Amino acid sequence: MIAKTKEEIENLRTSGRMLAEVLKEVALLVKPGVTTATLDLAAQAGIESRGCKSAFFGYTPEGAPHPYPATLCVTVNDEVVHGIPSESRLLKEGDLVMLDLGLSYNGYFTDAAITVCVRTCDEAAKRLMEATRKALDAGIKEARAGNRIGDIGAAIEAVAKEYGYGLAEDLGGHAIGKKPHEKPFIANIGPKGSGEKIVEGMVLALEPIFTEGNGKIILDSDEWTYRTEDGSRSVEFEKTILVTKDTAEILTVL
Ligand code: MF3
Ligand code: CO
């Protein structure tokens, strides 16, 4: 969406603040032995207690065969996106866990994701997380009025190259606001100068996804979970931002 009024912007800010609060609460529960379903229940409770609604539960993104069956996506190690929480999935020490959450407040949607380690973080995981965070920051810097959507992807791609990580090229960010996913799609690759022009008021969810391997992904038999073809681990960080005059305001500040 393109937020024009003060009221729309205030609703989006509240949405983003509440989302960040819930995501932080959920992240605090991550420890060995916890099931991913427990995290989902906590996300659900956190959203409801704030008078918000889940963006993902019952939502069918374009191209998906069924509505998403949970509130939270919990994506572990070689899984890349859209991991479905389950009572039989116990987290273990050293797992690399991506938590992806979306909600609406008063009809305004925001979307964010973080990756955390279960208790201990090995050096390779730390580097992968550092690179993905850096890519998100680089993408946000390019998200300003007058630039193009491809400038965001080019900045993200450059960080992947610098570190030597794979990029899941078919996955990426999106505009958001009145719906969980709006056009345009925001690829995590360039070229610079390509795509739609960025204008003040655009609300965007940027989500770089890096893998330790070549970035090729396959879809699981649950028809939701994508995992890396080579079994390497994957990390994502996502933020919803509002494009202002010459910078972007982060709506989901953790
Ligand atoms: N942040 C993710 C995305 O934009 C989560 C989508 S969840 C689902 O793709 F509900 F669409 F499955
Ligand atoms: Co998203």
Side-chain angles (χ1 to χ4, degrees):
M1 74 175 285
I2 301 194
K4 289 211 174 81
T5 66
K6 259 205 167 125
E7 197 188 335
E8 286 175 322
I9 292 171
E10 272 319 308
N11 276 310
L12 286 160
R13 283 189 180 131
T14 307
S15 174
R17 194 181 65 240
M18 297 208 172
L19 173 54
E21 284 175 13
V22 180
L23 201 48
K24 269 195 278 192
E25 278 177 15
V26 174
L28 286 173
L29 300 175
V30 169
K31 53 176 188 271
V34 160
T35 72
T36 57
T38 298
L39 303 179
D40 186 57
L41 281 176
Q44 215 175 298
I47 286 176
E48 274 164 23
S49 71
R50 287 171 176 80
C52 296
K53 286 191 185 132
S54 168
F56 299 166
F57 184 82
Y59 171 65
T60 311
E62 218 180 277
H66 324 284
Y68 188 68
T71 299
L72 183 71
C73 300
V74 189
T75 306
V76 186
N77 297 334
D78 66 316
E79 295 165 359
V80 180
V81 288
H82 302 167
I84 301 174
S86 151
E87 275 175 19
S88 56
R89 183 72 187 259
L90 271 71
L91 297 177
K92 55 179 198 314
E93 178 150 3
D95 277 346
L96 201 48
V97 182
M98 195 266 276
L99 306 168
D100 189 347
L101 188 64
L103 61 73
S104 66
Y105 166 78
N106 209 9
Y108 290 84
F109 288 84
T110 50
D111 185 358
I114 52 173
T115 302
V116 296
C117 297
V118 182
R119 196 177 287 156
T120 48
C121 221
D122 60 75
E123 288 308 312
K126 280 187 201 157
R127 185 173 180 271
L128 182 62
M129 289 200 282
E130 173 193 286
T132 316
R133 261 201 224 100
K134 207 165 141 185
L136 179 55
D137 290 344
I140 292 171
K141 265 205 188 118
E142 292 300 314
R144 52 174 190 270
N147 273 11
R148 289 188 180 272
I149 293 293
D151 298 340
I152 296 173
I156 291 170
E157 186 180 3
V159 178
K161 288 236 166 77
E162 178 195 331
Y163 279 81
Y165 289 132
L167 264 173
E169 292 192 4
D170 293 337
L171 304 173
H174 48 93
I176 183 169
K178 290 291 211 176
K179 290 189 286 179
H181 288 141
E182 296 178 9
K183 289 202 165 39
F185 171 71
I186 308 173
N188 289 322
I189 48 169
K192 210 174 161 55
S194 66
E196 203 173 301
K197 212 173 213 156
I198 300 170
V199 298
E200 195 177 340
M202 268 187 174
V203 187
L204 307 174
L206 306 189
E207 41 187 318
I209 303 156
F210 287 4
T211 81
E212 290 177 307
N214 63 21
K216 288 208 181 100
I217 54 170
I218 46 173
L219 185 60
D220 222 74
S221 57
D222 68 12
E223 295 186 293
W224 275 105
T225 314
Y226 282 96
R227 52 178 78 242
T228 58
E229 193 184 69
D230 57 16
S232 69
R233 295 179 299 179
S234 163
V235 161
E236 174 183 335
F237 286 92
E238 177 180 25
K239 285 179 181 162
T240 299
I241 62 170
L242 168 70
V243 177
T244 59
K245 223 184 191 91
D246 21 51
T247 174
E249 176 181 331
I250 296 164
L251 296 173
T252 53
V253 180
L254 285 138

